[in-house]
Amino acid sequence: MKNTIYLLFLFLLSILTVHASDSEPTIKSLLKELDRTITIKADFHKQREHEIDSIKKLAYTTSSPEEKYHLYSSLYGIYLHYQADSALHYLEKRKALLPSLQNPQYENDLWIARAEVLGIMGLYNEVAAQLEQVRRDQLDNQTLLYYYYTCRTYYGWIADYTRTDERHKYIEKTNAYRDSILSLTPN
């Protein structure tokens, strides 16, 4: 994988070099911006960790199960593409609050969120099992949109990794969920 990325980088660099005479200021400015972004990576990391610590402190000090649930949801969102195992941890904390909240919407939201994080982790067989647990008749429009988005993403991943005649079926499902998303979004 690293070799493929390295070869792709060299290929792109060679193309850019050929066209450098036409757009040299643009290429140089892009490379400077890339270098600047790489040098402040640690700052981004510190900023994210500070945000996480602040939310954790709020969650620890609040006594409201509803507020804890929403703070844990925020932590899940922050960790989702950052540390998937931590995202799962905060899903479990949200799940533990369900009996005191008695909101079926939250249970469905957890099924969808678990499917989302398992998909990011590459556990596609488990994604389908999670999505089957969702009771679509209980979803409000926002959660239904989240459900459609997660299904579209899941079937897109399956289509990407299927090399058989079944691939077309998954592409059709991906497109159907994309249409469902568009039907719920005003613009």
Side-chain angles (χ1 to χ4, degrees), residues 36-50:
R36 187 187 71 75
T37 303
I38 290 170
T39 59
I40 60 173
K41 177 184 174 187
D43 294 336
F44 287 133
H45 182 75
K46 284 179 189 175
Q47 181 181 4
R48 174 157 293 182
E49 290 297 326
H50 177 70

Side-chain angles (χ1 to χ4, degrees), residues 79-105:
Y79 278 125
L80 182 59
H81 293 282
Y82 186 57
Q83 291 177 337
D85 56 336
S86 294
L88 278 173
H89 172 75
Y90 285 101
L91 280 179
E92 290 303 314
K93 286 187 160 288
R94 285 166 59 187
K95 184 178 178 181
L97 294 170
L98 287 180
S100 62
L101 297 172
Q102 298 185 3
N103 185 334
Q105 190 72 35

Side-chain angles (χ1 to χ4, degrees), residues 1 5 17 27-28 45 47 51 58 68-69 75 78-79 87-88 91 102 108 111 124 135 137 140 163 167 177 182:
M1 178 72 176
I5 292 172
T17 304
I27 293 170
K28 283 185 178 180
H45 182 75
Q47 181 181 4
E51 181 182 7
L58 284 172
K68 275 189 190 289
Y69 183 87
L75 288 167
I78 292 170
Y79 278 125
L88 278 173
L91 280 179
Q102 298 185 3
N108 285 311
W111 289 117
Y124 304 129
R135 297 191 54 195
D137 60 316
D140 61 18
R163 299 291 177 230
R167 185 171 193 265
Y177 280 110
L182 292 172

Side-chain angles (χ1 to χ4, degrees), residues 25-68:
T26 305
I27 293 170
K28 283 185 178 180
S29 65
L30 289 174
L31 289 174
K32 283 182 182 178
E33 180 65 22
L34 179 60
D35 288 340
R36 187 187 71 75
T37 303
I38 290 170
T39 59
I40 60 173
K41 177 184 174 187
D43 294 336
F44 287 133
H45 182 75
K46 284 179 189 175
Q47 181 181 4
R48 174 157 293 182
E49 290 297 326
H50 177 70
E51 181 182 7
I52 289 168
D53 288 343
S54 297
I55 296 171
K56 284 180 180 179
K57 286 176 186 171
L58 284 172
Y60 181 75
T61 59
T62 187
S63 60
S64 164
E66 184 82 25
E67 191 174 337
K68 275 189 190 289

